mmCIF file of all heavy atoms in Angstrom:
data_model
loop_
_atom_site.group_PDB
_atom_site.id
_atom_site.type_symbol
_atom_site.label_atom_id
_atom_site.label_comp_id
_atom_site.label_asym_id
_atom_site.label_seq_id
_atom_site.Cartn_x
_atom_site.Cartn_y
_atom_site.Cartn_z
ATOM 1 N N LEU A 20 -61.771 -60.565 40.309
ATOM 2 C CA LEU A 20 -61.220 -61.702 41.040
ATOM 3 C C LEU A 20 -62.304 -62.364 41.890
ATOM 4 O O LEU A 20 -62.460 -63.582 41.875
ATOM 5 C CB LEU A 20 -60.051 -61.238 41.915
ATOM 6 C CG LEU A 20 -59.368 -62.306 42.744
ATOM 7 C CD1 LEU A 20 -58.816 -63.424 41.867
ATOM 8 C CD2 LEU A 20 -58.260 -61.681 43.582
ATOM 9 N N ARG A 21 -63.076 -61.560 42.598
ATOM 10 C CA ARG A 21 -64.151 -62.094 43.438
ATOM 11 C C ARG A 21 -65.162 -62.886 42.602
ATOM 12 O O ARG A 21 -65.606 -63.959 42.998
ATOM 13 C CB ARG A 21 -64.866 -60.963 44.175
ATOM 14 C CG ARG A 21 -65.952 -61.449 45.111
ATOM 15 C CD ARG A 21 -66.728 -60.316 45.741
ATOM 16 N NE ARG A 21 -65.970 -59.527 46.667
ATOM 17 C CZ ARG A 21 -65.899 -59.777 47.983
ATOM 18 N NH1 ARG A 21 -66.548 -60.805 48.487
ATOM 19 N NH2 ARG A 21 -65.204 -58.996 48.770
ATOM 20 N N LYS A 22 -65.506 -62.375 41.432
ATOM 21 C CA LYS A 22 -66.477 -63.049 40.556
ATOM 22 C C LYS A 22 -65.969 -64.425 40.127
ATOM 23 O O LYS A 22 -66.708 -65.400 40.151
ATOM 24 C CB LYS A 22 -66.774 -62.171 39.337
ATOM 25 C CG LYS A 22 -67.811 -62.748 38.402
ATOM 26 C CD LYS A 22 -68.171 -61.735 37.336
ATOM 27 C CE LYS A 22 -69.047 -62.253 36.241
ATOM 28 N NZ LYS A 22 -70.200 -63.013 36.613
ATOM 29 N N VAL A 23 -64.701 -64.501 39.749
ATOM 30 C CA VAL A 23 -64.121 -65.780 39.338
ATOM 31 C C VAL A 23 -64.071 -66.751 40.522
ATOM 32 O O VAL A 23 -64.362 -67.942 40.380
ATOM 33 C CB VAL A 23 -62.706 -65.563 38.736
ATOM 34 C CG1 VAL A 23 -61.970 -66.881 38.566
ATOM 35 C CG2 VAL A 23 -62.813 -64.851 37.394
ATOM 36 N N MET A 24 -63.739 -66.241 41.700
ATOM 37 C CA MET A 24 -63.627 -67.101 42.885
ATOM 38 C C MET A 24 -64.962 -67.713 43.286
ATOM 39 O O MET A 24 -64.987 -68.791 43.876
ATOM 40 C CB MET A 24 -63.051 -66.311 44.070
ATOM 41 C CG MET A 24 -61.593 -66.000 43.905
ATOM 42 S SD MET A 24 -60.770 -65.146 45.286
ATOM 43 C CE MET A 24 -62.039 -64.639 46.375
ATOM 44 N N GLN A 25 -66.065 -67.065 42.956
ATOM 45 C CA GLN A 25 -67.390 -67.570 43.342
ATOM 46 C C GLN A 25 -67.658 -68.971 42.802
ATOM 47 O O GLN A 25 -68.376 -69.744 43.421
ATOM 48 C CB GLN A 25 -68.488 -66.626 42.851
ATOM 49 C CG GLN A 25 -68.584 -65.350 43.631
ATOM 50 C CD GLN A 25 -69.614 -64.393 43.048
ATOM 51 O OE1 GLN A 25 -70.148 -64.609 41.966
ATOM 52 N NE2 GLN A 25 -69.879 -63.313 43.773
ATOM 53 N N ASP A 26 -67.096 -69.277 41.643
ATOM 54 C CA ASP A 26 -67.355 -70.572 41.014
ATOM 55 C C ASP A 26 -66.245 -71.592 41.262
ATOM 56 O O ASP A 26 -66.214 -72.626 40.609
ATOM 57 C CB ASP A 26 -67.546 -70.380 39.501
ATOM 58 C CG ASP A 26 -68.740 -69.498 39.188
ATOM 59 O OD1 ASP A 26 -69.736 -69.553 39.939
ATOM 60 O OD2 ASP A 26 -68.682 -68.738 38.207
ATOM 61 N N MET A 27 -65.336 -71.277 42.181
ATOM 62 C CA MET A 27 -64.199 -72.157 42.417
ATOM 63 C C MET A 27 -64.246 -72.752 43.815
ATOM 64 O O MET A 27 -64.828 -72.182 44.727
ATOM 65 C CB MET A 27 -62.895 -71.375 42.220
ATOM 66 C CG MET A 27 -62.754 -70.821 40.817
ATOM 67 S SD MET A 27 -61.212 -69.920 40.586
ATOM 68 C CE MET A 27 -60.126 -71.280 40.226
ATOM 69 N N GLN A 28 -63.603 -73.891 43.952
ATOM 70 C CA GLN A 28 -63.510 -74.534 45.252
ATOM 71 C C GLN A 28 -62.270 -74.028 45.978
ATOM 72 O O GLN A 28 -61.356 -73.479 45.363
ATOM 73 C CB GLN A 28 -63.427 -76.047 45.080
ATOM 74 C CG GLN A 28 -64.696 -76.641 44.505
ATOM 75 C CD GLN A 28 -64.621 -78.151 44.418
ATOM 76 O OE1 GLN A 28 -63.649 -78.761 44.852
ATOM 77 N NE2 GLN A 28 -65.648 -78.758 43.853
ATOM 78 N N ALA A 29 -62.236 -74.215 47.285
ATOM 79 C CA ALA A 29 -61.090 -73.803 48.096
ATOM 80 C C ALA A 29 -59.826 -74.500 47.613
ATOM 81 O O ALA A 29 -59.862 -75.659 47.196
ATOM 82 C CB ALA A 29 -61.343 -74.126 49.561
ATOM 83 N N GLN A 31 -57.902 -73.574 45.016
ATOM 84 C CA GLN A 31 -57.551 -73.370 43.617
ATOM 85 C C GLN A 31 -56.727 -72.091 43.468
ATOM 86 O O GLN A 31 -56.842 -71.166 44.272
ATOM 87 C CB GLN A 31 -58.804 -73.329 42.759
ATOM 88 C CG GLN A 31 -59.494 -74.692 42.701
ATOM 89 C CD GLN A 31 -60.617 -74.715 41.699
ATOM 90 O OE1 GLN A 31 -61.727 -74.304 42.014
ATOM 91 N NE2 GLN A 31 -60.325 -75.195 40.515
ATOM 92 N N ILE A 33 -55.358 -68.749 41.321
ATOM 93 C CA ILE A 33 -55.748 -67.756 40.314
ATOM 94 C C ILE A 33 -54.602 -66.769 40.161
ATOM 95 O O ILE A 33 -53.991 -66.357 41.146
ATOM 96 C CB ILE A 33 -57.011 -66.979 40.744
ATOM 97 C CG1 ILE A 33 -58.168 -67.931 41.028
ATOM 98 C CG2 ILE A 33 -57.408 -65.952 39.687
ATOM 99 C CD1 ILE A 33 -59.357 -67.272 41.704
ATOM 100 N N THR A 73 -57.588 -69.680 46.538
ATOM 101 C CA THR A 73 -58.923 -69.447 47.055
ATOM 102 C C THR A 73 -59.093 -70.098 48.421
ATOM 103 O O THR A 73 -58.455 -71.104 48.745
ATOM 104 C CB THR A 73 -60.005 -70.006 46.104
ATOM 105 O OG1 THR A 73 -59.779 -71.405 45.932
ATOM 106 C CG2 THR A 73 -59.974 -69.311 44.772
ATOM 107 N N ARG A 77 -66.550 -68.540 50.990
ATOM 108 C CA ARG A 77 -67.589 -68.053 50.067
ATOM 109 C C ARG A 77 -68.933 -68.052 50.766
ATOM 110 O O ARG A 77 -69.343 -69.061 51.328
ATOM 111 C CB ARG A 77 -67.684 -68.958 48.836
ATOM 112 C CG ARG A 77 -66.454 -68.994 48.003
ATOM 113 C CD ARG A 77 -66.655 -69.903 46.823
ATOM 114 N NE ARG A 77 -67.181 -71.199 47.275
ATOM 115 C CZ ARG A 77 -67.594 -72.140 46.477
ATOM 116 N NH1 ARG A 77 -67.576 -71.962 45.194
ATOM 117 N NH2 ARG A 77 -68.066 -73.275 46.942
#
Side-chain angles (χ1 to χ4, degrees):
L20 180 58
R21 183 185 292 269
K22 183 172 172 47
V23 168
M24 288 183 350
Q25 286 176 351
D26 298 326
M27 299 181 84
Q28 294 183 4
Q31 292 188 276
I33 304 169
T73 58
R77 297 180 310 172

